[in-house]
Amino acid sequence: MKLPSFYLRSSMLVASLVIQLLITAVVSGGGGTTSSSTVAALKRYNAMFTFGDSMEETGNICAASSNKTELDVLTCTHPPYGETYFGRPSCRWCDGRVVIDFIAQALGLPFVPPSKAKGKDFRRGASMAITGGTAMNFSFYRSLGIEDPVWNHGSLDTQIQWFKELMPSICGTEQSCKAYLRKSLFMFGGYGGNDYNVQLLELDLTPLQAMNYTPKIVTAIANGVEKLIALGAVHVVVPGIFPTGCLPIFLSLFGVAAGETDFDGTGCLKSYNRLTEYHNSLLRKQVAALQQKHRNSTRIMYADYYGLVYQMVQEPEKFGFSKPFEACCGAGGGKYNFDVTARCGMEGATTACHDPSTRLSWDGIHPTEEASKVIAGALLRGPYCTPPILG
C-alpha cells in the first residue's frame, strides 16, 4: 500500500504551515517567535492516535452505543456541552475543545475522529478513547463485584485492539506501518482515573485501600506502552492523572463529612490527593524505566497533569481563572455546584455559568475548554511534559 505524502512542497502547504505555527504560538502562550524545535515537530508528525477515557473522548461513546437511555445518562450529548466552540454537543465532555484537540491543531493535524465512526479516513489520526475507559480489563472489576456497564466500554487492552484493527486501513502492511507510525504521535491516556472512580465510588473503598491496587494499574499502563512500541510507536505521551482531591465531584461527595484537618491549605482533600500522588509517582518510575530501556529508539514523554492542575487550583488568577472548586455547569448549588442528580446536561442543568473561559472545572469532573488549552500548551512546550512534545 502506498503511503500518503503530507510533505509536498506546494504553496498551499507552506501557507498551512504558517497558519499552524501561529496556532502553536497561541496555544503555548508564547511570543511571536517560532523555534527550530517547533518547526521540526510540525514536520515530524504525520498523524496522532489517542487513547484514554472521557477526558480524551471525541465521540466513540456516541458512535458505539445504540442505547438511547445510556446516552441520556451520559449527558455529553445534551446542551450546554459543546457550546463554546462547536455550538452544539459534540460528544466531548467539555464546553468546547479538549486537550487533544488543541494539540492536533498546534501540530497542523485535523481533530482526531473517533475510531468507531463509520466512513472516516484515519490516516491522519484516530481516537480510541472512550467514556468509562480503564487501565484494568473489566474482568478484573467484575471479579470485585462490579457489573455497571459504564466501566465496560473499552479498557486499555480493548482500545489497543481497536487500533490494531484499524492499522491496515491506515498504513497497510506491518512493514509499512512501522515506517508510518514512527512519524506519528501517540497520546496514551491518562489512564487510571476511572480505575479509582470504580473503587472509590462503586466499591466505597477508602483512598488508602485503593492504593493496594495502584501497582497493578500502573503496570497495566506500562505494559500498554510496550504494546504500542511493539506495533511501531516511537513518540508516546503518557500522562498522569488529575488531583482527585481537588475535583468538585469528590469535594461534594466526601468533603461535607470531612473535618478541617482533612483539607490541605488550598482546599483539596488530602487523602484523595495522596492516592493520586502515589499513582503518579509509580507511573513516573515506570515511564523512566521505559525511557531508559528504549532510549535509542523511542521518545517517551511523561505529562504531569497533577502538577499543572494543582498549580491552577492554587493560583487560579495566574491562569485567568476564578472559583477553581466550582463547576461551571450543573445545578448542584453551594460551594462546588455539583450534585450527582443535577449534573450538567440533566433537566434543570442546561445553562452554564456566564463565562466558562474564567473557570477551571466545566462539569465538576472535566476541565473547561480554556483549562484544556492551558494544559495542551504546557504539554507542547513544557514544563509539565518531560520532554515537551515540541522539545
Side-chain angles (χ1 to χ4, degrees), residues 234 290-299:
V234 171
L290 289 169
Q291 288 171 328
Q292 177 64 20
K293 178 180 177 180
H294 299 284
R295 62 187 179 279
N296 296 322
S297 58
T298 65
R299 189 167 181 268

Side-chain angles (χ1 to χ4, degrees), residues 17-84:
L17 180 59
V18 171
I19 290 170
Q20 293 308 327
L21 290 177
L22 292 174
I23 290 173
T24 301
V26 171
V27 170
S28 64
T33 60
T34 302
S35 68
S36 59
S37 63
T38 299
V39 175
L42 284 168
K43 290 181 178 179
R44 174 185 296 148
Y45 303 121
N46 55 20
M48 182 168 75
F49 301 102
T50 64
F51 303 74
D53 54 28
S54 58
M55 294 289 183
E56 297 80 29
E57 172 80 78
T58 64
N60 273 323
I61 190 63
C62 297
S65 179
S66 59
N67 187 329
K68 186 179 184 301
T69 301
E70 180 180 52
L71 292 176
D72 281 342
V73 172
L74 300 170
T75 56
C76 64
T77 59
H78 301 178
Y81 281 93
E83 67 174 19
T84 297

Side-chain angles (χ1 to χ4, degrees), residues 6 38 62 112 133 164 174 189 198 230-231 242 244 296 343 386:
F6 299 110
T38 299
C62 297
V112 288
K164 290 169 71 174
E174 182 177 346
V198 173
L231 293 174
F242 284 34
T244 303
N296 296 322
R343 301 189 311 278
T386 312

Side-chain angles (χ1 to χ4, degrees), residues 284-338:
R284 273 183 181 271
K285 291 177 182 177
Q286 289 274 20
V287 170
L290 289 169
Q291 288 171 328
Q292 177 64 20
K293 178 180 177 180
H294 299 284
R295 62 187 179 279
N296 296 322
S297 58
T298 65
R299 189 167 181 268
I300 304 171
M301 297 155 267
Y302 176 77
D304 182 13
Y305 281 1
Y306 183 100
L308 175 58
V309 173
Y310 192 70
Q311 186 184 8
M312 292 160 75
V313 171
Q314 284 183 307
E315 305 176 275
E317 297 82 7
K318 179 178 178 180
F319 299 91
F321 298 124
S322 62
K323 302 179 180 178
F325 296 122
E326 184 178 310
C328 172
C329 180
K335 184 177 181 180
Y336 307 119
N337 191 34
F338 184 88

Side-chain angles (χ1 to χ4, degrees), residues 180-332:
Y180 193 75
L181 299 182
R182 188 177 297 123
K183 295 181 179 179
S184 300
L185 178 66
F186 287 78
M187 296 289 298
F188 197 61
Y191 284 110
N194 281 331
D195 294 271
Y196 298 114
N197 288 340
V198 173
Q199 297 173 56
L200 300 171
L201 304 179
E202 298 269 7
L203 295 174
D204 294 324
L205 299 186
T206 66
L208 187 61
Q209 290 171 326
M211 286 183 187
N212 292 326
Y213 296 105
T214 300
K216 288 180 179 290
I217 294 168
V218 170
T219 297
I221 297 169
N223 289 342
V225 176
E226 289 277 26
K227 291 174 183 177
L228 289 185
I229 292 172
L231 293 174
V234 171
H235 305 276
V236 186
V237 179
V238 185
I241 55 178
F242 284 34
T244 303
C246 301
L247 299 179
I249 178 176
F250 282 92
L251 287 165
S252 67
L253 291 173
F254 303 108
V256 175
E260 185 177 344
T261 58
D262 294 321
F263 295 90
D264 64 17
T266 302
C268 302
L269 287 165
K270 291 190 289 189
S271 62
Y272 290 86
N273 274 358
R274 278 196 292 268
L275 169 61
T276 312
E277 289 170 346
Y278 179 55
H279 171 95
N280 289 337
S281 68
L282 292 190
L283 184 60
R284 273 183 181 271
K285 291 177 182 177
Q286 289 274 20
V287 170
L290 289 169
Q291 288 171 328
Q292 177 64 20
K293 178 180 177 180
H294 299 284
R295 62 187 179 279
N296 296 322
S297 58
T298 65
R299 189 167 181 268
I300 304 171
M301 297 155 267
Y302 176 77
D304 182 13
Y305 281 1
Y306 183 100
L308 175 58
V309 173
Y310 192 70
Q311 186 184 8
M312 292 160 75
V313 171
Q314 284 183 307
E315 305 176 275
E317 297 82 7
K318 179 178 178 180
F319 299 91
F321 298 124
S322 62
K323 302 179 180 178
F325 296 122
E326 184 178 310
C328 172
C329 180

